[in-house]
């Protein structure tokens, strides 16, 4: 049997050179965002047990970490505060404000700082908003008013971008209006617009001490986060957030919702971020620790899938390795 009897697909796979020529996708470390946890309750950089090789930082250790990350080609960061004091209202944002000030004082515009905006690390019940008196409902209006105040404070401290992850209705419009009224019309908003209620946030909630359910009568986030069983809701949330002024939109988690990434990338022309979340990251890390898969190649494979699916921006706990790993890809 010769070539004429079958469709030869192997010529294009024959060696590294032709495989490189035939690629339809390239990864670029410039499209990555590195999350950082800033924890007010610690005095030195501390490992997060459930998130391999990821640490919680003090303000001082974050400055050192960012310096190292810049050397590795990563300049965009997503900041998560872990405040010492948890309450039900009148939250105290001074810690993250100081952190952003210090980071901007040291690095200026060589870094891009997106501040995750949510109340879950501040509330003593772990929900992303303010509760009613019976503690069985997350109040939308009250939460949005609080989030807008919070956004203004972090922007005044120097944040380049606000990243609301709470999933309340109307928060993008309210934050945009607050920022514009205060002459911060140049500050971008990256909306966690298609954020699903997910098992894969487990390690993150350990790190942020934000598991919902204590001191209240609602034990999950299903009344505000999107459902895996309702793709249309996630699409509509994203279209709505764009209408309200979101500059960048996001799908989160990433891999289980690749269909949503794909559909959005075909529908909208805004930058689209895929957040490969803590549980997704840690699944790879645990397999790699058990020598079942190769860590770097597994992350690269997932990142490539996210880009093929249509994401432009990747948020990953391994972002700081992106440049090094991408350089040594064997196609
Ligand atoms: C806060 C928030 C969460 C994540 C980012 N922002 C957790 C949650 O909604 O419970 C998850 C990130 C991750 O798992 O890596 N609202």
């Amino acid at each position: 049997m010769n070539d004429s009897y079958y469709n030869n697909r192997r010529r294009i796979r024959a060696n590294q050179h032709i495989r490189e020529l035939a690629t339809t996708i390239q990864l670029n470390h410039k499209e990555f965002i590195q999350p950082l946890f800033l924890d007010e309750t610690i005095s030195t950089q501390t490992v997060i047990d459930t998130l391999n090789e990821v640490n919680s930082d003090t303000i001082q250790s974050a400055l050192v970490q960012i310096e190292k990350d810049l050397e590795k080609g990563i300049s965009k960061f997503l900041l998560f505060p872990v405040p010492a004091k948890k309450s039900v209202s009148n939250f105290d944002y001074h810690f993250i404000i100081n952190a952003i000030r210090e980071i901007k004082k040291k690095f200026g515009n060589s870094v891009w700082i997106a501040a995750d905006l949510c109340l879950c690390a501040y509330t003593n019940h772990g929900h992303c908003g303010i509760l009613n008196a019976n503690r069985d409902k997350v109040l939308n209006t009250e939460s949005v008013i609080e989030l807008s105040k919070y956004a203004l404070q972090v922007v005044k401290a120097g944040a380049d971008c606000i990243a609301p992850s709470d999933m309340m209705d109307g928060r993008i419009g309210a934050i945009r209006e607050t920022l514009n009224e205060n002459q911060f019309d140049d500050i971008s908003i990256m909306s966690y617009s298609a954020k699903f209620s997910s098992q894969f946030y487990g390690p993150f909630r350990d790190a942020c001490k934000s598991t919902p359910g204590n001191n209240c009568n609602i034990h999950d986030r299903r009344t505000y986060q999107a459902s895996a069983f309702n793709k249309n809701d996630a699409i509509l949330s994203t279209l709505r957030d764009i209408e309200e002024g979101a500059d960048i939109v996001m799908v989160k988690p990433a891999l289980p919702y690749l269909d949503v990434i794909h559909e959005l990338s075909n529908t909208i022309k805004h930058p689209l971020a895929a957040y490969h979340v803590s549980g997704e990251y840690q699944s790879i890390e645990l397999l790699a620790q058990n020598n079942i898969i190769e860590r770097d190649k597994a992350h690269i494979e997932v990142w490539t899938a996210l880009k093929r699916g249509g994401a432009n921006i990747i948020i990953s706990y391994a972002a700081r390795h992106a440049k090094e790993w991408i350089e040594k890809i064997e196609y």
Side-chain angles (χ1 to χ4, degrees):
M1 189 156 118
N2 68 35
D3 233 28
S4 62
Y5 290 95
Y6 57 94
N7 180 350
N8 184 310
R9 295 302 320 151
R10 292 189 54 195
R11 279 194 292 272
I12 211 77
R13 306 172 192 150
N15 58 53
Q16 172 88 0
H17 303 290
I18 195 163
R19 286 195 299 270
E20 279 176 14
L21 291 172
T23 54
T24 58
I25 197 126
Q26 297 284 343
L27 291 172
N28 185 339
H29 66 278
K30 293 183 181 169
E31 296 164 337
F32 282 73
I33 300 176
Q34 175 70 51
L36 292 177
F37 295 102
L38 283 141
D39 190 337
E40 193 180 8
T41 69
I42 55 175
S43 50
T44 52
Q45 193 178 54
T46 306
V47 295
I48 299 170
D49 290 334
T50 52
L51 215 45
N52 186 44
E53 235 191 45
V54 179
N55 299 308
S56 292
D57 282 297
T58 65
I59 297 178
Q60 282 313 311
S61 76
L63 298 175
V64 177
Q65 183 65 56
I66 290 171
E67 186 133 36
K68 288 187 197 156
D69 290 343
L70 278 169
E71 281 164 22
K72 295 186 128 205
I74 291 296
S75 57
K76 295 106 175 164
F77 299 91
L78 180 58
L79 262 46
F80 292 101
V82 185
K85 185 172 163 256
K86 297 193 187 267
S87 52
V88 292
S89 59
N90 297 317
F91 306 108
D92 179 355
Y93 304 117
H94 81 275
F95 174 66
I96 193 66
I97 288 167
N98 288 344
I100 294 170
R101 275 209 195 106
E102 291 295 318
I103 292 169
K104 276 297 185 178
K105 194 167 95 192
K106 178 151 188 194
F107 298 103
N109 288 336
S110 58
V111 296
W112 182 83
I113 299 296
D116 180 272
L117 201 79
C118 192
L119 300 178
C120 64
Y122 291 91
T123 55
N124 68 2
H125 43 72
H127 282 292
C128 302
I130 293 169
L131 298 188
N132 63 352
N134 285 340
R135 298 174 165 245
D136 58 5
K137 192 175 171 188
V138 178
L139 299 171
N140 201 85
T141 306
E142 289 77 355
S143 303
V144 169
I145 291 170
E146 184 63 32
L147 288 162
S148 301
K149 283 191 215 156
Y150 180 14
L152 185 58
Q153 294 192 44
V154 295
V155 164
K156 283 184 176 163
D160 297 286
C161 176
I162 294 293
S165 66
D166 54 289
M167 289 295 278
M168 297 299 123
D169 285 331
R171 86 265 201 232
I172 301 300
I175 292 168
R176 185 71 274 159
E177 197 177 309
T178 304
L179 297 187
N180 290 0
E181 279 168 0
N182 289 276
Q183 286 74 51
F184 289 110
D185 49 299
D186 54 337
I187 300 298
S188 54
I189 299 179
M190 174 166 72
S191 174
Y192 290 68
S193 59
K195 177 174 177 181
F196 289 88
S197 178
S198 171
Q199 279 302 305
F200 289 96
Y201 305 148
F204 174 96
R205 291 178 187 172
D206 275 355
C208 285
K209 305 170 189 106
S210 64
T211 304
N214 294 325
N215 309 311
C216 67
N217 304 315
I218 8 171
H219 301 285
D220 58 55
R221 306 203 199 285
R222 284 181 295 166
T223 64
Y224 43 105
Q225 296 182 344
S227 160
F229 305 97
N230 189 347
K231 175 175 171 173
N232 289 348
D233 182 26
I235 303 284
L236 288 169
S237 291
T238 302
L239 297 176
R240 188 265 324 262
D241 285 4
I242 287 173
E243 238 165 69
E244 288 184 19
D247 302 288
I248 302 173
V249 288
M250 188 197 298
V251 177
K252 170 191 177 185
L255 214 46
Y257 301 96
L258 205 49
D259 58 327
V260 180
I261 293 177
H262 192 235
E263 182 162 334
L264 282 175
S265 77
N266 285 334
T267 314
I268 58 162
K269 298 301 158 207
H270 290 64
L272 177 60
Y275 194 151
H276 193 236
V277 301
S278 58
E280 299 182 271
Y281 167 86
Q282 187 67 356
S283 317
I284 293 181
E285 297 297 311
L286 291 175
L287 286 167
Q289 279 172 4
N290 287 286
N291 295 319
I292 295 168
I293 61 173
E294 290 180 54
R295 181 191 190 208
D296 51 348
K297 289 182 181 156
H299 281 291
I300 290 279
E301 189 173 334
V302 169
W303 295 342
T304 308
L306 302 182
K307 278 206 83 176
R308 271 201 330 274
N312 317 94
I313 300 166
I314 295 174
I315 305 171
S316 165
Y317 294 96
R320 57 174 61 99
H321 299 292
K323 186 163 183 255
E324 169 197 338
W325 290 349
I326 290 166
E327 269 164 19
K328 58 173 199 195
I329 289 179
E330 293 169 353
Y331 290 98

